[in-house]
Amino acid sequence: ISFNAIDSALSSLKNCQSYINSGMDVATQVALDLVESFNDAEDVDNMEKVMLEYATMDRELNHYIKAFEETINQVKREKPENLPDLENLAQEKFLEMESKNSDSDLQGNEKYMYFKDQLKEMKKQCKNIFFSFFPILLFHKSDHDKDTIEQIDEDIAVTRSQMNFICPITQMTMKRPVRNKVCGHSYEEDAILEMIQTQKQKKKKVRCPNMGCSYVDVKGSDLVPDEALKRMIDSQNKQ
């Protein structure tokens, strides 16, 4: 196997990574749909198993890529008189990496961690809504006419409108909320990024703008899209 062949193979493997990432994004969206629709917990658990399978494939793919890259760099660095069997060398490195696999590798996968984080947030949001209108359902448990159903829908809408959809920076309903992984507070994406950039130019740290929060060093790397909150806001806007 030649250097050119390996370069071509690496390029193909890296393309496969994009497919794995897309698959994990889809699985996350499906899981959030299931939670939002109050589907059976088993269905949600199945989506988590799918995510773990994707994480396993991602780890294996990363090991393949790293093994071949290290092999190429080693051979170029040592410049042996006779070119060794690159494929066998890479395979040995790959098997060595795979032998050190652990469950924590999968749990630490970035997209899997995001999946768990957003799933937790969505469950929390849905739980708040459910318990807010649960007494209404009990009161009307024998009444299924149209007016009752419409009343329940209105109560759900009111509950959602009372949730914290307001950005602490702009004081407006968020359109693209991002959540701080450190303190758990959410902000409008453009607003918090502008604040971080402005303070960076002044060589100052950014304190979390949420009232009462003690976190004093908000960074762009702390922020992740808050898909769960965005869904609730979009749902509220459709009411």
Side-chain angles (χ1 to χ4, degrees), residues 44-57:
V44 180
D45 290 341
N46 286 335
M47 293 313 302
E48 182 169 354
K49 291 176 183 176
V50 169
M51 288 294 291
L52 286 172
E53 289 175 4
Y54 272 124
T56 301
M57 287 190 287

Side-chain angles (χ1 to χ4, degrees), residues 58-72:
D58 186 59
R59 178 179 62 188
E60 184 175 341
L61 195 57
N62 283 329
H63 284 170
Y64 263 121
I65 292 172
K66 187 176 180 181
F68 274 105
E69 287 179 338
E70 287 185 359
T71 298
I72 291 175

Side-chain angles (χ1 to χ4, degrees), residues 129 133 151-163 165 235-236 239:
I129 291 175
F133 73 86
Q151 177 61 46
I152 291 173
D153 286 341
E154 288 177 8
D155 285 314
I156 294 174
V158 170
T159 299
R160 281 177 167 160
S161 68
Q162 292 171 343
M163 297 175 70
F165 295 163
S235 178
Q236 168 63 23
Q239 298 294 329

Side-chain angles (χ1 to χ4, degrees), residues 8 11 19 25 44 62 69 71 75 80 99 108 112 123 125 134 177 182-183 186 196-197 204 217:
S8 177
S11 179
Y19 295 127
D25 289 341
V44 180
N62 283 329
E69 287 179 338
T71 298
V75 172
S99 68
Y112 177 73
K123 287 178 179 178
Q125 302 279 16
F134 183 65
V182 181
C183 65
S186 295
I196 291 173
Q197 183 61 31
K204 293 183 179 180
D217 190 14

Side-chain angles (χ1 to χ4, degrees), residues 131-147:
F131 282 109
S132 293
F133 73 86
F134 183 65
I136 300 171
L137 293 177
L138 289 178
F139 181 77
H140 294 295
K141 63 181 179 180
S142 61
D143 189 353
H144 300 288
D145 60 31
K146 183 178 179 181
D147 291 338

Side-chain angles (χ1 to χ4, degrees), residues 59-92:
R59 178 179 62 188
E60 184 175 341
L61 195 57
N62 283 329
H63 284 170
Y64 263 121
I65 292 172
K66 187 176 180 181
F68 274 105
E69 287 179 338
E70 287 185 359
T71 298
I72 291 175
N73 291 334
Q74 177 185 335
V75 172
K76 288 182 177 179
R77 185 173 60 252
E78 296 176 355
K79 298 179 181 179
E81 185 176 340
N82 296 315
L83 190 65
D85 189 324
L86 300 178
E87 187 172 4
N88 281 339
L89 281 177
Q91 183 68 12
E92 289 175 6

Side-chain angles (χ1 to χ4, degrees), residues 28-30 32-33 36 122 226-236:
T28 299
Q29 295 299 320
V30 171
L32 293 177
D33 285 341
E36 190 175 18
M122 180 60 81
D226 197 337
E227 180 65 27
L229 182 57
K230 185 177 186 305
R231 281 166 173 260
M232 291 296 175
I233 294 173
D234 290 345
S235 178
Q236 168 63 23

